[in-house]
Amino acid sequence: QQQVKQSPQSLIVQKGGIPIINCAYENTAFDYFPWYQQFPGKGPALLIAIRPDVSEKKEGRFTISFNKSAKQFSLHIMDSQPGDSATYFCAASRGITGGGNKLTFGTGTQLKVEL
Amino acid sequence: EPEVTQTPSHQVTQMGQEVILRCVPISNHLYFYWYRQILGQKVEFLVSFYNNEISEKSEIFDDQFSVERPDGSNFTLKIRSTKLEDSAMYFCASSVMGRGNTEAFFGQGTRLTVV
């Protein structure tokens, strides 16, 4: 019940395309859903995050769509660029007052944007 | 921009030896975490730490592991009697608060190789 399932495992798109990465969760106590971007040899870096009280959030070229009833959320990258080539992880956590922010990560998607 | 720093970047140790991985969290952050990522797999939560004590730990974080904040700036992960399966990238992270909707900043990681 603590798992976050992510698909696809890898994705290749052409420059300017719109890659979509999907995640699904089971634990209804999750209330914070961030996406992390990781380049080789680097730590994960927060890209964008959403709370379940909204269905969509946009930041620049990155959009999260959230479907609370289906317990699914997805990342869309508009006008993708070669510099977006990285591994993307979805994650989820519970808002615990005074507690730690334990993130449960998905399995990751390796995105390659070709010229 | 403030960042989480980890040392060393790469540690090679013999099976059965003890290792200490070091982290300097962002200075005004109050919550500290260790995660690990086995090569090609997802990032997994190990432990969260607040107010000089463990606030949550995963089933991975057994008696072989311990954490400590020995002074006002460092946060360490000790692995006693390392095993081959401890080989992984270990990430330290910190956040201002522990609630689920605050950003966790990750360090660049320490690659631990047990031989």
Side-chain angles (χ1 to χ4, degrees), chain A residues 3-4 9 31-33 36 38 41-46 51 87 89 93-108, chain B residues 31 33 35 37 40-45 48 50 55-59 89 91 95 97-109:
Chain A
Q3 282 189 340
V4 176
Q9 186 175 4
D31 64 359
Y32 174 66
F33 302 90
Y36 281 81
Q38 185 180 32
K42 301 290 186 183
L46 180 68
R51 294 292 303 274
T87 300
F89 291 96
S93 71
R94 295 173 292 154
I96 305 170
T97 302
N101 184 9
K102 171 188 172 183
L103 290 166
T104 300
F105 282 85
T107 48
Chain B
Y31 291 83
Y33 315 87
Y35 289 80
Q37 185 179 29
Q41 298 187 23
K42 67 178 179 180
V43 179
E44 300 175 290
F45 170 81
S48 59
Y50 168 73
S55 51
E56 189 172 0
K57 60 182 180 179
S58 71
E59 63 276 7
M89 184 74 90
F91 292 106
S95 63
M97 298 178 66
R99 299 193 65 175
N101 60 350
T102 59
E103 179 177 356
F105 291 80
F106 284 76
Q108 81 282 11

Side-chain angles (χ1 to χ4, degrees), chain B residues 74-86:
Chain B
N74 290 284
F75 179 52
T76 62
L77 174 69
K78 182 189 290 184
I79 310 174
R80 287 181 280 274
S81 188
T82 50
K83 306 170 192 170
L84 294 176
E85 54 266 37
D86 294 327

Side-chain angles (χ1 to χ4, degrees), chain B residues 57-66 80 83:
Chain B
K57 60 182 180 179
S58 71
E59 63 276 7
I60 302 169
F61 194 89
D62 59 21
D63 291 344
Q64 181 194 9
F65 295 89
S66 62
R80 287 181 280 274
K83 306 170 192 170

Side-chain angles (χ1 to χ4, degrees), chain A residues 13-80:
Chain A
V13 300
Q14 296 297 309
K15 180 176 178 290
I18 306 175
I20 301 172
I21 304 170
N22 300 298
C23 284
Y25 64 97
E26 291 293 327
N27 188 347
T28 54
F30 287 145
D31 64 359
Y32 174 66
F33 302 90
W35 284 90
Y36 281 81
Q37 180 187 56
Q38 185 180 32
F39 293 105
K42 301 290 186 183
L46 180 68
L47 198 58
I48 185 173
I50 197 168
R51 294 292 303 274
D53 51 349
V54 297
S55 60
E56 186 176 276
K57 184 175 181 180
K58 289 184 181 181
E59 285 186 6
R61 295 185 294 109
F62 301 93
T63 299
I64 300 179
S65 298
F66 188 85
N67 185 331
K68 187 174 181 178
S69 61
K71 290 183 284 186
Q72 295 175 347
F73 57 111
S74 59
L75 177 70
H76 298 59
I77 305 176
M78 307 301 176
D79 187 28
S80 59

